[in-house]
Amino acid sequence: MMCAWKQLLSVLPPRLRPEVDRLGKNALQELRLRLGMPPELVLSGESRWLGCCVSREDLNYCINAASRYSPWAAATTAQGYLTAPGGHRIGLCGEVVCKDGIVTGIREISSLCIRVARDFPGIARRAADAPGSILILGAPGWGKTTLLRDLIRQLSAGDAGAPGMKVGVVDERSEIAACHLGIPQNDLGPRTDVLDGCKKTEGIRMLLRSMSPQILAVDELGGKEDFAAVKQALCCGCRVLGTVHAGCVQELLDKPYLQACVTQKLFGRYILIERNSRGERSTTIYDERMERIC
């Protein structure tokens, strides 16, 4: 497991660092800071509260430290998040500013959700040799993006006998590479190019035109337009790696566009991430016909 823990602590107000470090170094998943309320540490499924209350100054400190006072970095707050050094992601809530019906920013921040970025190199080793395109399924927070990230890293790096493949990543929400000031904070391998903060549909087309990728990777495929872009990539000879929200196979088949993927055999492998009552994760691999392999 890898985690830029010191960089996480650096964006926290100094008065909170000792207790967060003591309680959460090896198990912290989220730190929630709500104005006027005690800080909440989510630790492997359970919550602990610190014995103080969050102030306006605490919230401002986190935002300024994460963005390093950069207007360019802070501009992503209009999308409800900010990426901090080390790949940690800060979700924001507060008073939304709109112009012509479009959200342009968030002011008077009232709460932050700091998600700790932890990487697990090697977890995709079993899937890296799978042929064709791969779709990863799982419920929110079950590790789809973490598995996708390691899959990208392994395919980009190759092995001792062969060079890695050219991978293009469309990172619409900055969760795969976690770019901070334009620099990926997560290791995606030596032959990976990242298009950060771009819509999946347009990003796929841009990478196909300009970067000649052998593999395209995207997170959280959803509607008709996403899958039309995926089909375009496949028709251009690219493999596609993607994720989608589905807690089980039936949830996948209940979604019309995903059902069409199975019918048209767009993906050679489906990987379902499951979690038991103790929070332990396991994966099941299916072939292009959604028949279980292992």
Side-chain angles (χ1 to χ4, degrees):
M1 180 180 69
M2 298 169 58
C3 177
W5 184 251
K6 289 183 178 179
Q7 289 173 295
L8 172 74
L9 292 178
S10 72
V11 305
L12 301 182
R15 72 188 186 102
L16 300 183
R17 293 174 190 172
E19 279 295 277
V20 172
D21 187 34
R22 182 179 69 85
L23 295 171
K25 186 172 185 178
N26 296 315
L28 185 65
Q29 296 175 338
E30 293 179 356
L31 174 62
R32 292 183 175 265
L33 304 179
R34 302 177 177 96
L35 185 62
M37 302 294 290
E40 178 187 3
L41 283 73
V42 181
L43 305 159
S44 301
E46 66 172 354
S47 291
R48 298 277 297 273
W49 282 265
L50 302 185
C52 60
C53 288
V54 175
S55 67
R56 177 74 64 190
E57 290 73 22
D58 291 331
L59 299 177
N60 290 337
Y61 185 98
C62 290
I63 294 169
N64 290 329
S67 67
R68 294 180 178 173
Y69 296 89
S70 164
W72 182 86
T76 61
T77 59
Q79 301 175 50
Y81 71 89
L82 185 65
T83 303
H88 310 291
R89 185 179 175 87
I90 303 177
L92 307 99
C93 276
E95 183 182 350
V96 172
V97 180
C98 290
K99 183 178 181 180
D100 299 326
I102 299 174
V103 176
T104 59
I106 301 177
R107 65 187 175 196
E108 299 299 334
I109 302 297
S110 59
S111 59
L112 302 177
C113 174
I114 304 173
R115 295 177 58 183
V116 181
R118 298 186 187 274
D119 235 349
F120 298 83
I123 60 173
R125 190 173 294 114
R126 189 168 60 141
D129 294 331
S133 298
I134 298 173
L135 187 63
I136 301 170
L137 322 174
W142 284 16
K144 297 185 300 298
T145 305
T146 303
L147 181 59
L148 174 64
R149 188 182 302 122
D150 191 55
L151 190 55
I152 293 167
R153 182 166 47 234
Q154 293 198 42
L155 291 171
S156 174
D159 54 38
M165 304 182 76
K166 294 181 294 181
V167 184
V169 175
V170 184
D171 203 1
E172 183 173 357
R173 297 179 178 86
S174 302
E175 288 191 283
I176 304 173
C179 288
H180 178 73
L181 303 180
I183 302 172
Q185 302 295 292
N186 294 323
D187 177 14
L188 296 182
R191 304 193 75 195
T192 299
D193 303 296
V194 179
L195 199 56
D196 183 55
C198 182
K199 287 181 65 66
K200 290 184 282 291
T201 50
E202 184 58 29
I204 288 173
R205 297 185 183 101
M206 290 172 65
L207 288 175
L208 288 172
R209 286 195 299 263
S210 61
M211 301 304 292
S212 63
Q214 295 168 288
I215 298 174
L216 275 167
V218 292
D219 205 10
E220 296 188 8
L221 291 167
K224 180 179 180 180
E225 296 81 8
D226 289 351
F227 288 99
V230 165
K231 289 182 70 173
Q232 180 184 3
L234 295 173
C235 290
C236 291
C238 275
R239 293 172 61 187
V240 174
L241 311 176
T243 71
V244 69
H245 287 310
C248 62
V249 171
Q250 190 57 50
E251 285 186 21
L252 173 75
L253 298 177
D254 286 342
K255 301 178 181 182
Y257 300 120
L258 294 175
Q259 188 181 59
C261 287
V262 177
T263 302
Q264 299 172 29
K265 299 180 180 179
L266 297 186
F267 293 92
R269 291 290 184 270
Y270 296 86
I271 303 175
L272 175 64
I273 301 175
E274 299 173 288
R275 190 168 67 176
N276 62 25
S277 59
R278 297 186 298 276
E280 298 167 338
R281 294 172 175 83
S282 62
T283 58
T284 304
I285 299 178
Y286 298 85
D287 66 11
E288 61 184 8
R289 298 178 299 276
M290 286 305 295
E291 294 181 0
R292 181 171 178 166
I293 298 174
C294 59

